[in-house]
Amino acid sequence: HRIEERDLFAIWASDGVWEYISNAEAIKIVVNEMVRAGGPNKVDLDAAARVLCGRARELWRTKTGGAYQDDITCVIAQFHPLPPKLQELKRRKKTLSRTQSDGVASTSTEIL
């Protein structure tokens, strides 16, 4: 594959990650973590890798009842900055609070 402008990042991960996580879910996790990081062009790929691996561990515990867990490792490399549309969402991304009749509830939104 020749890296193009539309290629934002790549994920290299062990089979322990891919056993229960689809490509689409992994992309969603990484993009959401990139958007959450502070500053318009700052991304925290370490945080994205920790979240991705944490999700894989959680799924292994759930699916196997904690009886077994394969190796879980990943590396994420960013090739290009966030596209302008995601940079704008990043600037506006905040935890939303809404008032309900019985009190206040806080919810976090996800980009994808």
Side-chain angles (χ1 to χ4, degrees), residues 17-92:
V17 172
W18 302 120
E19 183 73 24
Y20 299 115
I21 295 179
S22 67
N23 291 345
E25 184 178 0
I27 291 166
K28 180 179 178 179
I29 288 168
V30 173
V31 169
N32 280 317
E33 288 306 309
M34 291 174 81
V35 170
R36 279 187 181 87
N41 293 312
K42 181 180 174 172
V43 296
D44 188 349
L45 296 177
D46 287 337
R50 282 191 302 273
V51 171
L52 181 58
C53 288
R55 177 71 177 137
R57 277 191 300 280
E58 176 186 314
L59 288 169
W60 273 97
R61 279 192 298 271
T62 301
K63 302 283 186 177
T64 69
Y68 180 77
Q69 177 179 302
D70 203 350
D71 61 301
I72 296 173
T73 57
C74 77
V75 174
I76 303 167
Q78 183 177 0
F79 302 125
H80 299 289
L82 289 173
K85 182 177 179 181
L86 286 179
Q87 287 182 22
E88 177 59 27
L89 287 171
K90 183 184 186 93
R91 281 190 284 277
R92 293 186 294 141

